[in-house]
Amino acid sequence: MGREVSEVKKILRQQFREILGEMSPQEKDWSDRELVQRFLEHPKLAQANTVLLYYGVGLEVDTKGLIQTLLENGKRVCLPKCLPEHQMQAQAIASLDDLAPDRYDIPAPKDACPVVARDEIDLVLVPGLCFDSQGSRLGQGGGYYDRYLEDYEGVTVGLCREDFFQVNLPREPLDVWVRIVLTEEGQVWPMIQPID
């Protein structure tokens, strides 16, 4: 059963990447701006002091401007650093100059940036190709966030393009879900959490 779910997710991942790749630059720019604006306006972000963001690359939501805005607003901003065995850690940055390409060629904190304990992070912006009505996500397949967010008790947020929002995505036992999903139209609420 687990192998079947894994295969289905692999197929879905490829399908969503293809559809995302067909978006025009104008469509993507509009979607990115709307999603970032919804996030900036969310009260949970206003309440958070320390946030973990991702640096969007390729087909992901462009978060470079968001990172800069939150730094200017005085938030303690962390980004992930990939570690061996699909683990990751959060490191605080003071500016975008603190980033350098990592093993996947994604901007990540330089080694000198301080590591921030997971329980110090108030809010995590979780990447995903798409999300569903239960907060499940379809990520890139590396499992970094699933491992990092296991037993995390803070706020987790996913940005999902409206056309990619799903009713129900296939889940595996180790998959984590987010508490809040934002689309260009606003927050998807109420969120129905999966029953284990």
Side-chain angles (χ1 to χ4, degrees), residues 35-48 75 123 155-157 159 179-182 186-189:
L35 288 167
V36 166
Q37 191 59 38
R38 295 292 169 270
F39 182 64
L40 286 170
E41 293 170 352
H42 202 280
K44 290 294 185 185
L45 177 61
Q47 296 165 10
K75 297 289 186 186
L123 183 150
V155 178
T156 48
V157 181
L159 303 181
R179 291 177 170 83
I180 298 166
V181 177
L182 301 175
Q187 180 171 319
V188 179
W189 189 263

Side-chain angles (χ1 to χ4, degrees), residues 51-70:
V51 296
L52 173 59
L53 305 177
Y54 63 89
Y55 193 106
V57 296
L59 302 174
E60 293 178 327
V61 176
D62 184 351
T63 58
K64 182 178 179 180
L66 171 63
I67 294 167
Q68 183 64 43
T69 297
L70 294 186

Side-chain angles (χ1 to χ4, degrees), residues 30 45-46 54 57 63 78 80-81 88 105 117 130 134-135 142-144 146 158 160 185 187 189:
W30 176 85
L45 177 61
Y54 63 89
V57 296
T63 58
C78 306
K81 176 87 139 196
M88 71 180 218
D105 210 28
C130 61
Q134 298 182 36
Y144 287 92
D146 294 313
C160 182
E185 302 298 322
Q187 180 171 319
W189 189 263

Side-chain angles (χ1 to χ4, degrees), residues 31 35 39 47 71 74 92 113 118 121-122 126 134 141 156 162 178 181 186 190 193:
S31 175
L35 288 167
F39 182 64
Q47 296 165 10
L71 285 168
C113 295
R118 193 180 66 165
I121 298 170
D122 303 308
V126 185
Q134 298 182 36
T156 48
E162 187 78 29
V178 297
V181 177
Q193 292 298 346

Side-chain angles (χ1 to χ4, degrees), residues 8-157:
V8 170
K9 287 170 65 178
K10 188 175 179 180
I11 293 167
L12 284 174
R13 205 172 277 122
Q14 183 59 38
Q15 290 175 344
F16 282 117
R17 285 176 181 148
E18 288 175 4
I19 297 169
L20 271 169
E22 293 172 359
M23 289 181 73
S24 71
Q26 294 81 9
E27 289 173 322
K28 184 179 183 304
D29 287 348
W30 176 85
S31 175
D32 288 356
R33 285 195 308 273
E34 291 295 314
L35 288 167
V36 166
Q37 191 59 38
R38 295 292 169 270
F39 182 64
L40 286 170
E41 293 170 352
H42 202 280
K44 290 294 185 185
L45 177 61
Q47 296 165 10
N49 294 313
T50 302
V51 296
L52 173 59
L53 305 177
Y54 63 89
Y55 193 106
V57 296
L59 302 174
E60 293 178 327
V61 176
D62 184 351
T63 58
K64 182 178 179 180
L66 171 63
I67 294 167
Q68 183 64 43
T69 297
L70 294 186
L71 285 168
E72 291 171 359
N73 289 348
K75 297 289 186 186
R76 185 185 187 198
V77 176
C78 306
L79 268 78
K81 176 87 139 196
C82 293
L83 304 173
E85 299 182 19
H86 294 270
Q87 301 293 323
M88 71 180 218
Q89 65 189 17
Q91 292 178 237
I93 64 168
S95 76
L96 292 169
D97 292 335
D98 288 338
L99 302 175
D102 69 0
R103 68 175 84 175
Y104 299 107
D105 210 28
I106 300 170
K110 295 176 181 175
D111 291 340
C113 295
V115 175
V116 177
R118 193 180 66 165
D119 61 5
E120 293 180 36
I121 298 170
D122 303 308
L123 183 150
V124 179
L125 182 63
V126 185
L129 290 168
C130 61
F131 295 82
D132 73 10
S133 59
Q134 298 182 36
S136 292
R137 60 183 276 273
L138 184 67
Q140 299 290 354
Y144 287 92
Y145 280 85
D146 294 313
R147 292 174 181 85
Y148 185 79
L149 294 173
E150 185 178 8
D151 300 325
Y152 175 70
E153 296 181 357
V155 178
T156 48
V157 181

Side-chain angles (χ1 to χ4, degrees), residues 166-177:
Q166 304 294 299
V167 173
N168 195 17
L169 286 167
R171 291 189 82 243
E172 294 176 281
L174 296 179
D175 290 347
V176 298
W177 57 84

